[in-house]
Amino acid sequence: MAFLFLLVLFVTDISVFYALNFYHQITDMQAFYDDEARSYSMAYEGEELAERLDGFCADFSRPLKRIYVQLQYHSDRILANYLGESSARIKVFFGHYFHESSTDEILAPRTGKYQIGDDYFLEGKPFKIIGINAEDVFEIPFASIPAHTPLTVTFVTENPLTQKELQQLQACVSASFGVSTLKLPDKQSSNQNILIECIVLLGILLLTLLNVAYLYSCLLDKRKRQCRIFRVLGCGPVKCGLLYLAELWILSTLLYGLAVLTFEAGILKIMNGISAFYVHALTAETYGGIYVLMLMLVTLLNLLNLKGILKA
C-alpha cells in the first residue's frame, strides 16, 4: 500500500506538470494559427528596405502586430524582425536575445546541430550564435540583412482585414515597394486539432483529480489504523496529528522533487523532440508555486478530517 501511495502521488505531480505545459502548447499553437490567418506576404529585392518599410508604416492606418522578412533561395530558413516581437525573443531556450545595435549575432534553431558560441556563415560573413530559439528558424538582426538579397516581406496585422482595409494594404504596398502582387493568407482553418488537444488536456486533468481522490482515500484508511496503534501506545492526539502532517509534508516534498527531475530530464526532452510547439513553459517560480499550492491543498484536505482520524 505504501508503494502504491507513493506511485499515485508521483503520477499526480507529473500529470499537473504535463497539463500546465500542454496548456501552454495549445495557447502557443492558437497564437501561431491566428498570426498565420492575418499574414500578408510579398516578394521584394531592392535597396532601402528600412526606409520603404518606414514609409509603409506611416501610410497604412491599421495596427500591425509584426513585420518580418525571410531570405529566399537559402538552404536554411532565416528571418529578420523589423516590427514587433518575434516568438523567438519570447522563447530563447539557451543564451539570450540580440543586444542593442547587434549586427554580427544570430539565433539558431533547436536542432541539436548548433551550440552557443559557434560561428554561422551567411553570405561569407561569420555570425556568432548567441542563443537557441524555440522555432525551427534562424533569426538575425534586421540591420544584418545581406544587400541585394531576394526577400519575402510578411505583414502580420492585429486583426483580420476587411475588404476595404485589404485594398488599402495593397495600395500602400504598391506605393512603398512598387509591388502589385500580395500573397493573401490561407482561409482554411489550420487549428482543427486544437479541439482534440483540449480534450486530451481535460483527460489529463481528470486523471489528476482521480489520482488525488484515490491518494486521499488510501491515506485516510491507512492513517486511521496507525492512529489507533499510536493511541494504544499512549501517544496524545496533538502529537498524533503533528506526526501525521509531518509525514504528509515529507513524502509530498520528496515525491515532488523526484517528479520535477523526471519531468525535466525525461518527459520534457521527449516531447520537445516530438512537437515543434511543445516548449518549456514551467519556470522555477512556477514549480515553487505549484509546490506551495500542493502542500496547502494536502494540508487543508487532511485537516478537515484529522479530527475524525484521531477519534478513530
Side-chain angles (χ1 to χ4, degrees):
M1 180 62 73
F3 173 77
L4 188 59
F5 164 77
L6 297 176
L7 179 62
V8 172
L9 181 60
F10 177 77
V11 172
T12 299
D13 289 336
I14 292 291
S15 299
V16 172
F17 299 156
Y18 189 89
L20 288 176
N21 225 67
F22 199 84
Y23 173 76
H24 192 276
Q25 174 193 5
I26 292 176
T27 55
D28 273 1
M29 291 180 67
Q30 185 63 61
F32 172 80
Y33 292 139
D34 288 344
D35 284 352
E36 286 289 299
R38 300 192 299 266
S39 296
Y40 304 83
S41 303
M42 68 170 193
Y44 180 77
E45 183 177 3
E47 298 179 352
E48 301 177 344
L49 177 59
E51 290 79 1
R52 293 177 182 272
L53 285 171
D54 289 341
F56 168 82
C57 292
D59 293 338
F60 188 59
S61 61
R62 302 303 300 164
L64 292 167
K65 181 178 181 180
R66 184 184 176 196
I67 299 177
Y68 65 93
V69 299
Q70 178 177 343
L71 278 64
Q72 296 181 6
Y73 314 123
H74 201 280
S75 57
D76 295 318
R77 189 180 177 210
I78 303 177
L79 305 180
N81 213 46
Y82 169 78
L83 175 69
E85 287 191 340
S86 64
S87 55
R89 182 166 192 172
I90 302 172
K91 304 169 201 164
V92 177
F93 278 158
F94 305 105
H96 57 84
Y97 197 70
F98 304 121
H99 296 294
E100 295 294 333
S101 70
S102 297
T103 57
D104 57 354
E105 298 175 339
I106 189 170
L107 294 176
R110 56 187 185 95
T111 60
K113 295 171 54 180
Y114 306 98
Q115 301 293 329
I116 295 177
D118 292 348
D119 285 332
Y120 179 87
F121 288 87
L122 176 61
E123 304 290 335
K125 178 183 177 181
F127 285 75
K128 185 70 66 177
I129 296 177
I130 61 169
I132 306 298
N133 66 36
E135 295 183 351
D136 191 22
V137 299
F138 289 87
E139 183 174 349
I140 60 176
F142 185 81
S144 300
I145 298 174
H148 310 291
T149 300
L151 304 170
T152 297
V153 183
T154 300
F155 309 93
V156 183
T157 60
E158 287 284 358
N159 302 296
L161 299 181
T162 64
Q163 187 62 35
K164 183 177 180 180
E165 292 168 342
L166 177 58
Q167 292 174 355
Q168 182 194 9
L169 173 63
Q170 292 173 323
C172 292
V173 166
S174 178
S176 298
F177 303 96
V179 175
S180 58
T181 303
L182 189 64
K183 181 182 177 182
L184 304 182
D186 187 0
K187 293 184 179 180
Q188 183 178 1
S189 176
S190 302
N191 60 353
Q192 51 189 335
N193 293 325
I194 294 293
L195 177 60
I196 298 176
E197 290 167 348
C198 287
I199 294 174
V200 172
L201 176 59
L202 291 176
I204 294 172
L205 293 176
L206 179 61
L207 173 64
T208 302
L209 293 175
L210 291 176
N211 283 337
V212 171
Y214 181 74
L215 173 66
Y216 180 65
S217 63
C218 289
L219 191 61
L220 197 63
D221 292 339
K222 183 179 179 182
R223 292 303 172 266
K224 282 182 178 180
R225 294 192 296 269
Q226 287 186 349
C227 280
R228 292 192 190 103
I229 297 173
F230 288 155
R231 296 299 300 274
V232 169
L233 296 175
C235 185
V238 176
K239 188 175 181 180
C240 273
L242 291 177
L243 289 173
Y244 172 64
L245 291 177
E247 184 180 6
L248 272 177
W249 293 334
I250 293 172
L251 284 176
S252 299
T253 300
L254 292 177
L255 266 296
Y256 188 84
L258 181 60
V260 171
L261 291 176
T262 303
F263 185 75
E264 287 282 328
I267 296 176
L268 191 61
K269 291 185 181 298
I270 294 173
M271 294 308 301
N272 282 337
I274 294 175
S275 173
F277 283 98
Y278 201 90
V279 298
H280 191 172
L282 304 183
T283 63
E285 291 80 6
T286 305
Y287 282 124
I290 297 173
Y291 173 71
V292 171
L293 289 175
M294 179 197 68
L295 282 187
M296 291 175 60
L297 178 62
V298 168
T299 303
L300 178 62
L301 288 176
N302 288 280
L303 281 176
L304 293 176
N305 291 277
L306 189 57
K307 185 177 181 181
I309 293 175
L310 296 177
K311 286 183 177 181

